[in-house]
Amino acid sequence: MVGTPKIPDQLIETLRTARHLVVVTGAGVSAESGLPTFRDKQTGLWERFNPEDLATPGAFDRDPALVWGWYEWRRMKAARALPNAAHLAIRRLEEIVPRVTLVTQNVDDLHERAGSRVVHHLHGTLKNPFCSGCKRPFHFSPEIPDDPEAGRSVDPPRCAHCGARIRPGVVWFGEEMPQREWNIAEQAALECDVFACVGTSSLVYPAALLIQRAIGRGVVTVQINSTGTDLDKLVMFDLRGSAGIVLPALVTGAYPDR
Ligand code: OAD
């Protein structure tokens, strides 16, 4: 963990006058809520599990119970987690900046539970599974699921209409992102005057194209990340530190009276 970096005065000034801010978040924004990221050394999900076995349509065809059990484990963890200071700081920005477009690659609902009303989920959500056959939505019962172990197989429920297996409501490798969410995110990247990416390695496409669009337009770009990424030298402001510390410092610095 790193401490609070100095927030540059120029960034504070920019934020004060921002008209349209885009915030793109990744797994790092939920890390301080206790949810693992994907690529952090030792703790990242893809350090422990093989995405080929869990996050592709082929994986679900081969072993639906393994895949369903893994996503149920993640749903349980997300349901028991609480939004952290980073989610809340983004919520505060929404109250202050005239227009904020919040885009996330995360499948948890911690932004919503922090109070953000419109969250564009590029990779789907754990809460909205659907039928792998007829695509109708499936509704979970409201209770928080049991605490299945990671890697435990759980048979997916069957669709009440067509009998096919219910699948997790997430976007897997090799699948299209939801077109509407992507269009909104892309348009926002082409229109905003400030673009911030928070807690993402910016390695997964097409989501990573968004920051590249903003960099290409020459608008103010900010990265908040606890470690370095390929964008360190490309963004205008590279703030190294935990999102739960840096984001509140940024908001308080720009809007001390709000
Ligand atoms: P990654 O695990 O690739 O990156 C998380 C980033 O967050 C890393 O760069 C960390 O340094 C940073 N980080 C960790 N803790 C942090 C903290 N407390 N504060 C700030 N930064 C922190 O996760 P994503 O970029 O979200 O897709 O991954 C993108 C996609 O890859 C995911 O949506 C998922 C995955 O495969 C699918 O499953 C389709």
Side-chain angles (χ1 to χ4, degrees), residues 62-82:
R62 283 192 299 278
D63 194 342
L66 179 73
V67 172
W68 184 259
W70 191 69
Y71 281 96
E72 278 296 88
W73 168 69
R74 289 184 57 200
R75 185 165 75 93
M76 173 278 298
K77 281 186 81 69
R80 287 164 194 233
L82 293 173

Side-chain angles (χ1 to χ4, degrees), residues 27 32 38-39 46 105 123 171 173 199-201 204 225-227 243:
E32 289 155 82
F38 293 92
R39 295 176 182 81
W46 296 154
Q105 297 162 86
H123 294 165
V171 176
F173 290 106
T200 174
S201 56
V204 172
N225 200 304
S226 52
T227 63

Side-chain angles (χ1 to χ4, degrees), residues 48-194:
R48 297 169 58 199
F49 304 99
N50 181 356
E52 290 288 322
D53 295 337
L54 295 162
T56 64
F60 189 66
D61 289 343
R62 283 192 299 278
D63 194 342
L66 179 73
V67 172
W68 184 259
W70 191 69
Y71 281 96
E72 278 296 88
W73 168 69
R74 289 184 57 200
R75 185 165 75 93
M76 173 278 298
K77 281 186 81 69
R80 287 164 194 233
L82 293 173
N84 65 53
H87 299 104
L88 295 170
I90 293 169
R91 171 70 194 120
R92 273 184 70 203
L93 284 171
E94 290 173 339
E95 286 165 359
I96 302 170
V97 178
R99 188 169 162 210
V100 175
T101 304
L102 175 56
V103 179
T104 188
Q105 297 162 86
N106 297 344
V107 293
D108 64 54
D109 62 350
L110 294 180
H111 284 303
E112 286 89 342
R113 284 162 55 205
S116 291
R117 277 188 305 276
V118 184
V119 188
H120 301 288
H121 284 271
L122 294 182
H123 294 165
T125 79
L126 291 166
K127 285 183 103 170
N128 295 329
F130 59 93
C131 174
S132 59
C134 68
K135 313 295 178 212
R136 282 188 174 88
F138 174 82
H139 301 288
F140 282 122
S141 58
E143 304 89 60
I144 296 180
D146 289 345
D147 196 345
E149 291 157 37
R152 199 185 72 164
S153 290
V154 179
D155 275 327
R158 294 277 180 171
C159 176
H161 301 275
C162 73
R165 288 190 179 90
I166 301 300
R167 58 157 283 178
V170 303
V171 176
W172 284 324
F173 290 106
E175 292 187 315
E176 298 268 307
M177 288 191 303
Q179 195 60 48
R180 181 175 174 276
E181 304 304 305
W182 172 252
N183 289 346
I184 291 170
E186 192 178 35
Q187 196 57 37
L190 294 173
E191 287 172 4
C192 65
D193 51 3
V194 184

